[in-house]
Amino acid sequence: MAQEDLFKKLVSHCKEYGYVFQSSEVYDGLSAVYDYGQYGVELKNNIKKYWWDSMVLLYENVVGLDSAIFMHPTIWKASGHVDAFNDPLVDNKDSKKRYRADVLIEDQRAKFEGKIEKEITKAKKRFGEAFNEDQFKETNPRVLANQGKIDELTARFAKAMNDNDLEGLKQIILDYEISCPVSGTKNWTDVRQFNLMFSTEMGSTAEGASKIYLRPETAQGIFVNYLNVQKTGRMKLPFGIAQIGKAFRNEIVARQFIFRMREFEQMEMQYFVRPGEEMKWFKHWKQFRMKWHQSLGFGSENYRFHDHDKLAHYANAATDIEFKYPFGFKEVEGIHSRTDYDLKQHQEYSGKKFQFFDPELNESYTPYVVETSIGVDRMFLQVISASYTEEEIKKENGKTDSRVVLSLPAFLAPVKLAVFPLIKKDGLPDIAREIINELKFDFYCQYDEKDSIGKRYRRHDAIGTPFCVTVDHQTATDRTVTIRHRDTMEQERVKIEDLKRIIGENVSYEKALRSL
RNA sequence: GCGGGAAUAGCUCAGAGGUAGAGCAUCAGCUUCCCAAGCUGAGGGUCGCGGGUUCGAAUCCCGUUUCCCGCUCCA
């Protein structure tokens, strides 16, 4: 199947079977926002539980946290998001290319600097040993002219950026005749501001209200609680804080279904380590996180690392775990060595000491941080796209038949068990109900008596239910039922009293967690 | 945001200026002793939304919203 077709089928399957709906659909939808339906929410919760348990249960030095979405606005100044997440953008109408206006202007300034350098190199050749660079820079008319342009440009640019003056930025682009590197033309749109952070007001009156942001990442909530957790939990380095929560980014381009949304959910763990040991832990978490993904059995060939060459200002090492989605290898998780940047920033802005006294070294230092950060929604899409399969089956009469199955790992499946009476009479429905009433305390069960038994099996294949139990006439005499396995379609006859154990063993998280 | 394509029933689509359709799905009933597509009946659409052209618009035109494909960033 063509990958593009597969993706389209996946999206409609998600809607048709109650996994994912577009937000506000009855009002024509809201762009890049999606809702999780009755099965979607179960799968999502199960994914979150698997991640949480693999961090908080398996590592005795990793603890959880649930910090608020609203945080003090200074946090986002300290983290660099207020400045870095605020891009003035401009489009060239001919090449259709989009640029950051500030980058275009800085490139222009670099061009002027390049011209000065050229003059200096030329002069050096001409004057030889006697060349006095400082004097040359102060007297040469061409150098002075370019330096004048640089100074004027720098001043105007700084003022426009400070005042948030978009028209001013556009005017700089026009005045300095900056052209598009691709089309070479100066046919620009207006400069527009794209603030990647959503903001709102906190406070009951408009005058007294202060602007606060919806967090663009959950990490900062961990950093600002570092001291609280470290002290109250008596944590010794190295230790980690794990958190699952919503984050918000006003993406310019948000697409590919739930892969890139404006409201999304992250599972992050910040691991605080002794400076100098960060690469050891970076490697550890890199391997562990990859193992976690591969434990789901979707095939190791569908994963790869993508190491970053260009690093963010706070990082000294970074890698992505990429999964092969129907639209190609894309990042599902990032592992970053964030140095002591964040804690140092908060130390500076808050005036509190974010230091740890290390009794072994007998000294205090600001811990380094290794971060693992995975998108829940991207993980959800990974699970769904890896599990969606269309099968051709040879029937006994020689005809072919097809079925759509979500081969979800059993412990992640929304519905664990469906119970059917083979026919809806002779007391069979009552027995089926009895079984559900006994097992509903442990598993999400569903009852179905509509249509032929085959249809009922297929309906549950489509939502990924791993087990279907059928009550037949033999059940009434010997208290046994058939249990049918989703992936093989094979059946076995078991005692009703053994169902809880059999299903329990198969849908437990334990086996997956033990494999890590 | 820009360019290109699309939007008709829950899903997949037909309908190309003259009464809104099919298959599947859903619901009710019948049938059925284990793998969808037997039988009967029912419900469900102001054709994404708004305007225009026309005696008449799902159909032609304009705008708008949403989705898909490219251009950048990220979880």
Side-chain angles (χ1 to χ4, degrees):
Chain A
M1 194 188 330
Q3 294 291 286
E4 200 177 297
D5 294 345
L6 170 67
F7 186 50
K8 280 183 180 159
K9 282 188 175 175
L10 214 58
V11 174
S12 24
H13 192 87
C14 280
K15 184 190 174 182
E16 193 171 356
Y17 290 94
Y19 273 87
V20 181
F21 308 124
Q22 188 179 12
S23 163
S24 319
E25 200 186 2
V26 293
Y27 289 104
D28 283 338
L30 186 62
S31 181
V33 185
Y34 289 88
D35 299 337
Y36 287 85
Q38 64 274 28
Y39 299 125
V41 63
E42 299 287 343
L43 174 57
K44 199 175 174 209
N45 283 339
N46 295 345
I47 289 170
K48 288 194 273 189
K49 178 174 166 54
Y50 184 47
W51 181 87
W52 186 268
D53 288 355
S54 72
M55 288 292 175
V56 176
L57 296 191
L58 296 195
Y59 287 88
E60 61 179 274
N61 65 340
V62 173
V63 295
L65 177 75
D66 185 17
S67 71
I69 289 171
F70 291 157
M71 285 188 264
H72 195 285
T74 308
I75 287 172
W76 304 112
K77 285 212 174 70
S79 70
H81 284 87
V82 171
D83 297 322
F85 263 48
N86 226 331
D87 300 338
L89 298 182
V90 63
D91 291 326
N92 183 274
K93 290 180 187 167
D94 299 310
S95 65
K96 308 292 179 202
K97 292 284 175 191
R98 163 160 298 165
Y99 301 93
R100 276 175 56 176
D102 55 325
V103 171
L104 277 180
I105 292 169
E106 276 173 357
D107 287 350
Q108 186 64 26
R109 182 165 61 188
K111 271 188 192 163
F112 289 135
E113 280 164 1
K115 282 183 182 173
I116 291 178
E117 285 302 313
K118 250 187 192 167
E119 291 293 340
I120 292 172
T121 341
K122 266 160 62 183
K124 257 186 194 163
K125 268 188 190 164
R126 212 162 4 148
F127 294 107
E129 289 289 312
F131 181 65
N132 181 330
E133 190 173 322
D134 291 337
Q135 194 190 350
F136 180 78
K137 276 201 232 168
E138 278 164 30
T139 54
N140 180 284
R142 272 193 291 266
V143 171
L144 286 177
N146 276 319
Q147 189 59 49
K149 279 186 190 167
I150 291 177
D151 293 344
E152 191 205 319
L153 177 64
T154 308
R156 279 181 65 181
F157 176 53
K159 187 172 187 314
M161 287 298 278
N162 265 334
D163 298 350
N164 232 335
D165 177 8
L166 301 178
E167 281 174 30
L169 287 174
K170 167 111 191 245
Q171 203 53 50
I172 292 172
I173 291 172
L174 295 178
D175 289 351
Y176 289 85
E177 301 195 324
I178 298 174
S179 57
C180 169
V182 174
S183 68
T185 67
K186 305 177 183 71
N187 191 7
W188 298 104
T189 63
D190 285 342
V191 177
R192 283 164 308 226
Q193 185 80 285
F194 288 95
N195 191 336
L196 265 52
M197 279 198 291
F198 287 98
S199 63
T200 184
E201 278 110 43
M202 189 180 246
S204 48
T205 60
E207 310 86 64
S210 62
K211 185 177 185 179
I212 56 170
Y213 297 100
L214 271 58
R215 64 181 178 201
E217 62 173 22
T218 53
Q220 299 302 327
I222 296 179
F223 296 136
V224 299
N225 277 295
Y226 162 77
L227 284 175
N228 287 334
V229 174
Q230 193 267 318
K231 284 180 178 160
T232 59
R234 297 163 48 240
M235 308 305 287
K236 309 273 185 291
L237 254 55
F239 75 93
I241 302 178
Q243 170 162 235
I244 299 177
K246 288 276 179 90
F248 306 84
R249 289 183 197 173
N250 197 5
E251 297 284 349
I252 309 159
V253 178
R255 238 181 293 183
Q256 265 148 347
F257 195 41
I258 55 172
F259 186 80
R260 185 179 283 99
M261 296 197 288
R262 298 212 160 93
E263 174 180 342
F264 61 102
E265 197 161 13
Q266 292 182 306
M267 303 189 281
E268 291 197 316
M269 197 275 303
Q270 306 292 334
Y271 201 68
F272 301 93
V273 306
R274 187 187 279 176
E277 293 188 347
E278 70 269 19
M279 288 318 293
K280 179 177 100 186
W281 289 110
F282 177 75
K283 283 189 191 113
H284 169 84
W285 288 108
K286 191 175 159 178
Q287 296 313 321
F288 179 76
R289 292 304 308 150
M290 181 59 101
K291 207 170 181 188
W292 185 87
H293 284 277
Q294 297 194 350
S295 72
L296 297 171
F298 299 150
S300 56
E301 71 282 3
N302 290 320
Y303 299 90
R304 68 183 188 197
F305 287 114
H306 173 246
D307 294 323
H308 290 212
D309 301 323
K310 272 204 249 168
L311 296 169
H313 56 283
Y314 52 74
N316 68 358
T319 193
D320 297 334
I321 293 175
E322 295 187 336
F323 176 73
K324 193 175 179 186
Y325 288 97
F327 40 86
F329 272 103
K330 295 279 181 187
E331 175 182 5
V332 59
E333 172 157 7
I335 296 134
H336 301 253
S337 174
R338 292 182 76 129
T339 69
D340 56 359
Y341 178 84
D342 298 280
L343 291 184
K344 279 234 169 99
Q345 286 291 104
H346 289 304
Q347 187 161 278
E348 189 187 324
Y349 276 77
S350 70
K352 304 284 189 300
K353 276 211 161 181
F354 278 67
Q355 295 210 321
F356 175 76
F357 177 76
D358 189 330
E360 247 176 78
L361 299 178
N362 197 30
E363 63 176 76
S364 291
Y365 48 77
T366 309
Y368 270 46
V369 175
V370 175
E371 162 190 279
T372 72
S373 175
I374 169 171
V376 177
D377 312 279
R378 289 183 177 187
M379 191 60 210
F380 184 100
L381 189 57
Q382 172 186 325
V383 172
I384 284 276
S385 50
S387 300
Y388 181 91
T389 42
E390 291 178 8
E391 288 179 0
E392 290 293 322
I393 305 163
K394 274 253 190 275
K395 293 214 289 196
E396 283 172 17
N397 59 15
K399 287 186 180 170
T400 57
D401 187 13
S402 68
R403 69 166 189 151
V404 174
V405 196
L406 282 188
S407 305
L408 300 167
F411 65 99
L412 294 181
V415 180
K416 306 299 188 197
L417 171 68
V419 183
F420 312 137
L422 186 56
I423 55 173
K424 57 183 168 197
K425 57 183 182 187
D426 304 337
L428 269 40
D430 296 336
I431 304 175
R433 291 284 187 193
E434 267 172 43
I435 293 172
I436 287 180
N437 281 332
E438 191 50 40
L439 296 179
K440 69 183 178 189
F441 303 100
D442 295 287
F443 317 115
Y444 183 178
C445 305
Q446 283 197 349
Y447 174 82
D448 196 355
E449 60 175 25
K450 174 79 183 161
D451 296 312
S452 72
I453 193 77
K455 258 188 184 172
R456 284 177 267 170
Y457 287 144
R458 297 303 168 84
R459 268 204 287 270
H460 278 277
D461 288 340
I463 63 166
T465 305
F467 301 105
C468 293
V469 160
T470 300
V471 174
D472 54 23
H473 288 90
Q474 190 182 330
T475 309
T477 61
D478 65 3
R479 303 289 290 169
T480 64
V481 290
T482 59
I483 183 165
R484 178 258 195 190
H485 298 258
R486 177 195 62 201
D487 298 333
T488 58
M489 298 196 289
E490 276 165 14
Q491 288 173 271
E492 53 182 322
R493 186 162 277 278
V494 302
K495 289 183 187 154
I496 289 176
E497 61 189 59
D498 290 338
L499 280 176
K500 183 172 171 178
R501 180 186 51 79
I502 295 169
I503 294 161
E505 281 169 3
N506 280 286
V507 303
S508 139
Y509 289 78
E510 186 180 335
K511 200 174 148 199
L513 286 169
R514 277 189 188 278
S515 76
L516 294 175

